[in-house]
Amino acid sequence: MEPDKPEKYRFDDLDRRLVALLMRDGRAPVAKLADILNVSRSTVQNRLDRMLQSGALLGFTARVREDYEDGQINAMMMIKISGKSTTQVIANLRRLPELRRVHTTSGKWDLVAEIRVQTLAEFDRTLREVRQINNIETSETSILLTSV
């Protein structure tokens, strides 16, 4: 381990419960979280501070319901890579802002990419750009219609 690199933060049960509460309500007051977790307010604040400082907790975000984002197209693209070029392919995929996340997987597909665009023209262009990346053998894309 590098001398100035902090040790990886290890979540305990209280941390996991705290993060689960924050994922449901990222704006919950520290006092309310402490009450739910049956610990002191300072315990919750110290845990949050340590998780943020260590980088284990990246921050707090607002999530928008999918049906509030009219006209948005969401899709999942499964990608098969030829050879041992996964790192190179991932680096090229990360350059495409339309790909919100890229996941490595086990099974038939090497990667799964989450796509979010505003128009079918952007969707078509994004598919073409992905398919032009060297060492992508094949892909299969499904547009997400309704979340249930």
Side-chain angles (χ1 to χ4, degrees):
M1 188 174 352
E2 297 173 22
D4 55 353
K5 186 175 180 181
E7 185 175 324
K8 184 176 178 180
Y9 188 89
R10 301 207 187 280
F11 288 89
D12 64 13
D13 182 58
L14 180 59
D15 294 326
R16 284 190 274 289
R17 292 183 355 214
L18 176 56
V19 169
L21 290 171
L22 289 170
M23 289 175 74
R24 279 184 273 173
D25 181 5
R27 294 178 47 137
V30 172
K32 179 180 177 183
L33 296 168
D35 187 49
I36 293 169
L37 295 169
N38 199 29
V39 297
S40 71
R41 184 188 178 290
S42 63
T43 297
V44 170
Q45 189 63 60
N46 289 336
R47 294 291 180 119
L48 288 172
D49 292 344
R50 281 190 301 205
M51 286 188 280
L52 285 165
Q53 183 179 11
S54 70
L57 184 61
L58 299 176
F60 305 89
T61 63
R63 296 181 322 159
V64 177
R65 278 184 20 192
E66 289 180 29
D67 59 342
Y68 277 72
E69 299 181 72
D70 290 337
Q72 184 168 282
I73 298 166
N74 296 301
M76 299 298 278
M77 175 183 260
M78 285 68 68
I79 301 167
K80 183 164 180 57
I81 300 170
S82 61
K84 297 181 180 187
S85 55
T86 304
T87 303
Q88 177 188 5
V89 170
I90 290 171
N92 287 319
L93 290 171
R94 285 188 175 153
R95 292 185 183 112
L96 300 173
E98 298 84 2
L99 274 57
R100 306 234 344 157
R101 291 188 179 138
V102 177
H103 309 273
T104 58
T105 63
S106 62
K108 177 181 176 181
W109 302 102
D110 299 303
L111 302 172
V112 174
E114 297 178 31
I115 301 170
R116 182 173 291 172
V117 294
Q118 295 298 315
T119 67
L120 285 174
E122 285 181 77
F123 182 67
D124 184 47
R125 180 188 46 75
T126 301
L127 294 183
R128 277 187 275 114
E129 287 181 17
V130 168
R131 291 175 181 148
Q132 289 175 356
I133 294 173
N134 287 337
N135 299 314
I136 290 186
E137 186 176 309
T138 188
S139 66
E140 181 178 316
T141 306
S142 296
I143 294 177
L144 304 177
L145 301 175
T146 303
S147 295
V148 293

